[in-house]
Amino acid sequence: MTIRFAKPRHAERPPTCTVIRDDGSTTGQATSDFFVAHDLTHYAVETELGLRQAFFGLLNSGLTFESFTDRQAGSAKARTLPEDAYLAECIVGALDAQRYDPSISDEDVMLQLGPFAEKVGIAQLQNIRRVRDEHLRAYAALPAGATLELAF
């Protein structure tokens, strides 16, 4: 699968994220700078931890971006997500919070992970953050209209 993050050609347009699945079909959406960073964090978490049934793996298996916006917490539809998806979202959310508030320590992140903390260590968090930051820098350096392509 290939994931494309495209910078807009014009400032008034949003960035886009497009997934080209292994079967050649696609799904995509207009996004925002926040979600570019959020999705790059997903990419780092899922590739570094080998999670194949989280956000990008589920997109590859046929879900669309819209599939994730119409899930009410606690609903049967939300409860059908695999554990990998919950693990990834929990880690991504904690790392997003840390990105916006650098006073949050890695130990605080581990506390936020609750029962998922046993599945990831501080060294892995640091590696995930390094990979995410490399991709964030690469995306930031793109000229208008260019894309960052990542293999998943």
Side-chain angles (χ1 to χ4, degrees):
M1 176 173 76
T2 301
I3 305 161
R4 286 188 186 143
F5 295 93
K7 271 199 169 173
R9 291 187 189 279
H10 305 287
E12 67 277 0
R13 303 254 176 153
T16 59
C17 181
T18 304
V19 168
I20 301 97
R21 298 182 183 103
D22 290 340
D23 68 6
S25 64
T26 63
T27 185
Q29 70 176 7
T31 190
S32 66
D33 290 335
F34 170 83
F35 278 107
V36 168
H38 179 83
D39 290 347
L40 285 170
T41 306
H42 263 285
Y43 179 82
V45 167
E46 294 173 35
T47 56
E48 292 303 304
L49 297 180
L51 303 178
R52 293 296 178 230
Q53 290 296 307
F55 180 65
F56 284 113
L58 294 171
L59 288 173
N60 192 36
S61 71
L63 292 183
T64 65
F65 283 92
E66 294 78 21
S67 300
F68 296 96
T69 61
D70 62 3
R71 295 176 183 271
Q72 294 295 323
S75 70
K77 196 171 186 183
R79 288 191 305 267
T80 61
L81 289 174
E83 184 175 319
D84 280 3
Y86 290 107
L87 171 61
E89 198 59 49
C90 190
I91 296 169
V92 170
L95 291 174
D96 280 350
Q98 189 182 46
R99 190 165 44 88
Y100 285 105
D101 183 355
S103 72
I104 297 172
S105 69
D106 286 343
E107 290 76 15
D108 293 333
V109 169
M110 295 300 285
L111 287 173
Q112 288 178 21
L113 297 181
F116 290 123
E118 65 191 38
K119 298 189 183 265
V120 62
I122 289 179
Q124 287 176 302
L125 284 178
Q126 292 168 344
N127 198 48
I128 289 165
R129 199 171 28 254
R130 181 189 57 74
V131 169
R132 179 208 53 205
D133 291 348
E134 286 175 6
H135 293 310
L136 284 171
R137 283 190 297 276
Y139 179 79
L142 291 174
T147 62
L148 172 65
E149 283 196 8
L150 301 172
F152 183 84

